């Protein structure tokens, strides 16, 4: 054993500076591991930005982010701000510390529509003060630019909603920014914007006595399950007219054929209201509605869920009164943020998180597992608008013919199940 002892004795003892260096390296590695650990990343993201609570902000979803722009932050006279941010839906966060991330400020506005291009790389903002042109935000380089080549007649009109058809990339604005569209009793036109060619197209809206009775401040969502746009709520432009049962009906637009339907539902339906928040889940099988302004001008905290498959309304648990709030559905979680609790009082900064499966409010958001593999949709491969842009195409009643036969396709029999008889079609070709 003497040779072993000699070997041990012959090994040099570590010097103090070596010990300190090793400890420093271990500490550095521990810090790096902590910084890269999921729990720290989630916490860091959740605390990265504390936004001003706003009312009337515009919002739009990508696969795993909720973008929120503008709004008013004062409980007194409206003070429009240009705050722009996104909520990271791929991380865990609590209701009191949502994962907000600050972006370059955009146009200052409130109660206005925004919509993403189908590839989720460009956000289009409609109804911007002091211009009749939309603005666009480029996700990749976090920059803004006015789209001066597109001009509406009167983009100051409030109460218009926007939604993107992911199949064609077209953005639909029911009501439109045309001066004569505001004629009572109903808004007359649908304006359609093509982000690919950045051109506009106008078609007639159906007579309100046939379908789509309420279309001012109406909420809209795209339903992947139905392959259509669903509309609900809003105001009648004749403010003295009493509410009627048809006003709380769901209206459906098949963009493939530009045909309007009454979406038949069963069970008690929510009372009609405006300034509510509406969102659809990823596969379009559920639509959730929260809050809104009731006919007596008071805010409410009612929560309703429409099962698009069974056409059934279900009332969830009510929460704090909200109008002009922001919302989205991520998996089975319905998220509501901001808005006003009354015409004069702002909401708190806490996010409401409602679990649609357990029908209960919870204090923590957990991202769906499938969000880990989500990627933005690919760009649509076309170079021309699905309508005539030369001004020499066929028209009827002074308007271009329907885009249905060009932009869409044939509606399958399954897609037609549950719709009422055809009530109105813009397919005039």
């Amino acid at each position: 054993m003497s040779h072993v002892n000699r070997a041990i004795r012959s090994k040099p003892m570590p010097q103090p500076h070596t010990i300190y260096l090793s400890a420093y390296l271990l500490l550095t590695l521990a810090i790096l591991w902590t910084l890269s650990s999921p729990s720290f990343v989630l916490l860091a993201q959740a605390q990265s930005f504390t936004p001003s609570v706003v009312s009337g902000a515009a919002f739009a979803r990508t696969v795993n982010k909720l973008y929120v722009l503008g709004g008013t932050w004062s409980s007194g006279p409206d003070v429009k701000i240009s705050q722009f941010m996104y909520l990271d839906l791929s991380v865990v966060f609590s209701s009191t510390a949502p994962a907000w991330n600050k972006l370059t400020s955009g146009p200052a506005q409130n109660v206005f529509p925004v919509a993403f291009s189908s590839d989720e790389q460009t956000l289009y903002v409609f109804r911007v003060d002091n211009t009749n042109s939309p603005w666009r935000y480029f996700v990749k380089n976090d920059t803004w630019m006015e789209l001066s080549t597109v001009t509406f007649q009167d983009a100051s009109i409030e109460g218009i909603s926007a939604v993107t058809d992911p199949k064609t990339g077209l953005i639909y604005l029911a009501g439109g920014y045309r001066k004569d569209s505001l004629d009572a009793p109903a808004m007359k036109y649908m304006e359609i914007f093509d982000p690919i060619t950045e051109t506009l197209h106008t078609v007639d809206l159906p007579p309100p006595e046939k379908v789509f009775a309420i279309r001012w401040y109406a909420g809209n969502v795209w339903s992947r399950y139905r392959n259509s746009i669903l509309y609900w709520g809003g105001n009648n432009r004749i403010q003295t007219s009493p509410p009627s049962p048809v006003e709380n009906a769901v209206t459906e637009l098949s963009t493939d054929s530009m045909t309007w339907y009454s979406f038949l539902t069963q069970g008690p339906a929510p009372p009609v209201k405006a300034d509510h928040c509406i969102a659809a889940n990823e596969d379009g099988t559920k639509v959730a509605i929260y809050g809104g302004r009731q006919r007596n001008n008071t805010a409410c905290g009612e929560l309703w869920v429409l099962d698009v498959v069974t056409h059934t309304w279900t009332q969830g648990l009510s929460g704090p009164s909200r109008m002009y709030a922001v919302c989205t559905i991520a998996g089975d979680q319905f998220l509501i943020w901001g808005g006003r609790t009354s015409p004069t009082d702002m909401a708190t900064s806490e996010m409401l998180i409602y679990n649609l499966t357990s029908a209960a409010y919870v204090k923590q958001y957990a991202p769906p597992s499938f969000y880990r593999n989500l990627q933005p949709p690919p760009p649509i491969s076309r170079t021309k608008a699905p309508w005539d842009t030369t001004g020499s195409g066929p028209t009827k009643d002074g308007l271009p013919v329907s885009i249905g036969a060009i932009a869409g396709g044939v509606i399958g029999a399954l897609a037609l199940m549950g719709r009422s008889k055809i009530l109105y079609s813009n397919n005039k070709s």
Side-chain angles (χ1 to χ4, degrees):
M1 295 295 292
S2 59
H3 66 283
V4 175
N5 291 333
R6 285 196 301 272
I8 294 175
R9 285 195 298 270
S10 64
K11 184 177 181 180
M13 295 295 292
Q15 298 300 309
H17 68 274
T18 305
I19 296 174
Y20 297 151
L21 181 60
S22 299
Y24 174 79
L25 289 173
L26 288 173
L27 179 60
T28 301
L29 290 172
I31 293 174
L32 290 174
W33 179 85
T34 302
L35 291 175
S36 63
S37 67
S39 60
F40 184 88
V41 171
L42 299 182
L43 180 62
Q45 289 179 332
Q47 296 179 344
S48 63
F49 172 58
T50 302
S52 298
V53 179
V54 291
S55 168
F59 58 96
R61 265 289 296 274
T62 62
V63 288
N64 54 19
K65 292 182 176 69
L66 174 67
Y67 287 78
V68 179
L69 170 65
T72 58
W73 64 269
S74 172
S75 58
D78 288 343
V79 179
K80 303 172 186 177
I81 66 174
S82 57
Q83 176 178 264
F84 187 44
M85 57 196 179
Y86 72 84
L87 179 68
D88 191 343
L89 298 172
S90 66
V91 301
V92 175
F93 57 78
S94 70
S95 60
T96 56
W100 293 113
N101 292 261
K102 183 176 174 57
L103 297 167
T104 299
S105 296
Q109 185 57 288
N110 72 314
V111 192
F112 62 115
V114 299
F116 266 103
S117 58
S118 59
D119 63 359
E120 301 179 355
Q121 297 306 302
T122 309
L123 179 70
Y124 289 90
V125 182
F126 305 95
R127 189 178 166 260
V128 177
D129 281 347
N130 303 315
T131 179
N132 282 326
S133 297
W135 277 66
R136 52 187 173 175
Y137 170 78
F138 302 100
V139 173
K140 288 184 178 179
N141 54 16
D142 187 28
T143 57
W144 289 93
M145 181 180 297
E146 182 176 1
L147 182 56
S148 57
T149 56
V150 175
T151 304
F152 293 99
Q153 281 189 8
D154 185 3
S156 67
I157 299 171
E158 193 174 299
I160 306 300
S161 57
V163 65
T164 303
D165 179 344
K167 309 183 313 300
T168 63
L170 301 177
I171 298 175
Y172 291 80
L173 297 112
Y177 294 111
R178 295 172 61 98
K179 295 178 181 179
D180 55 345
S181 188
L182 284 174
D183 293 346
M187 308 180 92
K188 294 181 177 181
Y189 304 113
M190 166 82 80
E191 290 195 283
I192 308 169
F193 173 67
D194 178 21
I196 296 175
T197 60
E198 296 182 335
T199 57
L200 275 173
H201 182 73
T202 305
V203 296
D204 293 330
L205 282 177
E209 62 272 14
K210 292 184 176 292
V211 69
F212 200 20
I214 301 300
R215 57 192 65 167
W216 194 34
Y217 292 95
N220 59 209
V221 293
W222 176 263
S223 171
R224 290 184 181 275
Y225 178 79
R226 297 291 298 183
N227 197 31
S228 64
I229 304 172
L230 299 178
Y231 297 86
W232 185 88
N235 281 328
N236 190 319
R237 287 198 55 78
I238 303 178
Q239 295 297 302
T240 58
S241 64
S244 62
V246 73
E247 289 185 344
N248 67 1
V250 179
T251 300
E252 180 174 23
L253 170 62
S254 168
T255 55
D256 283 346
S257 63
M258 290 302 292
T259 304
W260 294 86
Y261 303 87
S262 286
F263 186 85
L264 303 179
T265 63
Q266 55 187 348
V272 68
K273 61 195 73 172
D275 307 329
H276 53 289
C277 186
I278 184 169
N281 63 349
E282 280 85 6
D283 61 10
T285 58
K286 285 184 171 57
V287 174
I289 295 168
Y290 191 87
R293 185 194 299 268
Q294 302 178 108
R295 288 299 192 191
N296 61 5
N297 202 37
T298 61
C300 74
E302 290 183 351
L303 190 155
W304 291 81
V305 179
L306 174 64
D307 187 317
V308 179
V309 180
T310 64
H311 296 241
T312 304
W313 283 107
T314 302
Q315 186 170 7
L317 295 179
S318 295
S321 296
R322 296 286 175 91
M323 55 186 185
Y324 300 117
V326 166
C327 66
T328 191
I329 300 177
D332 65 350
Q333 297 153 105
F334 186 30
L335 311 177
I336 305 103
W337 180 83
R340 295 179 183 267
T341 59
S342 74
T344 58
D345 298 312
M346 299 294 291
T348 66
S349 61
E350 182 173 6
M351 179 166 289
L352 303 176
I353 306 173
Y354 186 79
N355 188 298
L356 295 169
T357 301
S358 62
Y361 291 94
V362 297
K363 291 297 184 180
Q364 182 167 290
Y365 165 80
S369 58
F370 65 87
Y371 273 26
R372 290 193 296 266
N373 301 318
L374 288 179
Q375 297 294 327
I380 292 175
S381 58
R382 65 173 171 83
T383 58
K384 295 182 179 180
W387 49 69
D388 177 69
T389 58
T390 65
S392 59
T395 61
K396 183 175 181 180
D397 301 327
L399 294 172
V401 297
S402 170
I403 65 172
I406 307 173
V410 178
I411 304 176
L414 290 177
L416 288 171
M417 292 179 60
R419 291 175 177 153
S420 70
K421 63 181 180 179
I422 295 177
L423 296 176
Y424 188 83
S425 176
N426 271 316
N427 197 341
K428 302 172 180 177
S429 54

